[in-house]
């Protein structure tokens, strides 16, 4: 399959790219910084430099519909404004860029859409956190709402607290509510890869943390109605 990842240089996106490319799939990463292109090619991905805060749906939809290294089977929204960014960029990246990618997917006829969100978007922001955190939660919640209203084959994945520990290969993946906990970025990437392989999981909001169920079995259980 051919997968396009928005936010292609993010930590989860790089792990997902490496995972899929190792299996022989084509992965195109949309990146803002051309200096990051070499990191993608080194792990088997194909970079396209595109600033999602400046792009429009017509242009991006045209890219998805064109022969972008083969027909696109799925898109993954893994972009984020990142640490150090202000409240305004939480909206333009975490919300607006997701909606832009969904608009482009609809234009191009790409139905499969995976969105990385966050646990806590369905709750009031922690009052002990600052306004930037509140803006982040609001942006993720709005991006989810936008995607759920579309006629796409979508899955929203809400990871818990992300850590860079080695992958465990086992997770707890279920519809909300799931008790918050840590999950490795590598395990999040493995779950996304398995969801891409398994179209039987569709139009569901899933929460994710470390657990005892092998990734493949966790996704298969959802596909069979679990």
């Amino acid at each position: 399959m051919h997968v396009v990842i928005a936010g292609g240089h993010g930590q989860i996106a790089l792990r997902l790219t490496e995972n899929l490319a190792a299996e022989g799939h084509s992965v195109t990463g949309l990146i803002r910084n051309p200096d990051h292109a070499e990191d993608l090619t080194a792990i088997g991905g194909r970079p396209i430099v595109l600033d999602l805060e400046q792009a429009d749906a017509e242009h991006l939809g045209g890219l998805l519909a064109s022969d972008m290294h083969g027909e696109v089977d799925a898109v993954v929204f893994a972009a984020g404004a990142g640490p150090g960014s202000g409240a305004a960029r939480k909206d333009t990246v975490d919300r607006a860029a997701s909606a832009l990618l969904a608009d482009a997917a609809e234009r191009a006829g790409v139905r499969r859409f995976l969105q990385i969100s966050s646990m806590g978007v369905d709750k009031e922001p922690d009052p002990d956190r600052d306004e930037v955190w509140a803006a982040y939660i609001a942006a993720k919640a709005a991006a989810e709402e936008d995607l759920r209203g579309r006629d796409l084959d979508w899955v929203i994945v809400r990871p818990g607290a992300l850590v860079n520990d080695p992958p465990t290969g086992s997770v707890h993946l279920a519809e909300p509510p799931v008790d918050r906990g840590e999950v490795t970025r590598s395990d999040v990437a493995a779950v996304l890869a398995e969801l891409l392989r398994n179209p039987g999981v569709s139009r569901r909001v899933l929460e994710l943390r470390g657990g005892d169920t092998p990734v493949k079995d966790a996704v298969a259980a959802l596909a069979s109605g679990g």
Side-chain angles (χ1 to χ4, degrees):
M1 61 184 161
H2 179 197
V3 179
V4 173
I5 305 176
H9 195 259
Q11 295 187 64
I12 293 172
L14 289 172
R15 290 166 169 82
L16 177 58
T17 296
E18 189 169 24
N19 184 322
L20 294 173
E23 296 180 351
H25 301 296
S26 297
V27 185
T28 299
L30 304 180
I31 57 174
R32 184 170 61 91
N33 187 343
D35 293 341
H36 293 159
E38 191 173 315
D39 293 339
L40 267 69
T41 57
I43 58 174
R46 300 184 178 95
I48 287 183
V49 178
L50 182 73
D51 187 344
L52 294 172
E53 291 177 278
Q54 303 298 323
D56 60 58
E58 183 176 2
H59 174 64
L60 182 53
L63 282 177
L64 295 179
S66 67
D67 186 15
M68 186 200 281
H69 311 295
E71 182 179 352
V72 176
D73 299 291
V75 294
V76 179
F77 184 78
S85 59
R89 292 202 67 227
K90 300 304 183 188
D91 183 69
T92 58
V93 178
D94 292 87
R95 179 199 61 80
S98 177
L100 172 71
L101 185 63
D103 284 341
E106 289 176 334
R107 286 171 178 263
V110 180
R111 291 196 50 78
R112 188 66 164 165
F113 192 115
L114 269 55
Q115 181 189 79
I116 302 176
S117 186
S118 175
M119 279 193 180
V121 300
D122 52 353
K123 301 177 177 65
E124 288 297 318
D126 185 343
D128 294 330
R129 304 292 292 267
D130 62 17
E131 64 178 10
V132 176
W133 176 256
Y136 169 76
I137 291 297
K140 287 297 188 188
E144 285 194 13
E145 183 178 6
D146 174 83
L147 186 58
R148 290 196 301 267
R150 294 177 185 267
D151 184 23
L152 290 171
D153 178 15
W154 54 263
V155 181
I156 295 167
V157 178
R158 298 174 177 172
L162 298 169
V163 295
N164 284 329
D165 295 344
T168 67
S170 296
V171 297
H172 181 67
L173 180 69
E175 292 186 346
V178 169
D179 291 339
R180 189 174 178 85
E182 292 185 345
V183 61
T184 74
R185 288 179 170 87
S186 293
D187 286 331
V188 176
V191 166
L192 294 171
E194 193 61 32
L195 287 168
L196 289 167
R197 298 183 198 105
N198 196 328
V201 182
S202 178
R203 300 182 71 82
R204 299 179 77 169
V205 178
L206 304 173
E207 295 192 334
L208 171 64
R209 60 169 171 81
D212 300 321
T213 305
V215 168
K216 187 172 183 177
D217 294 344
V219 173
L222 291 167
S224 63

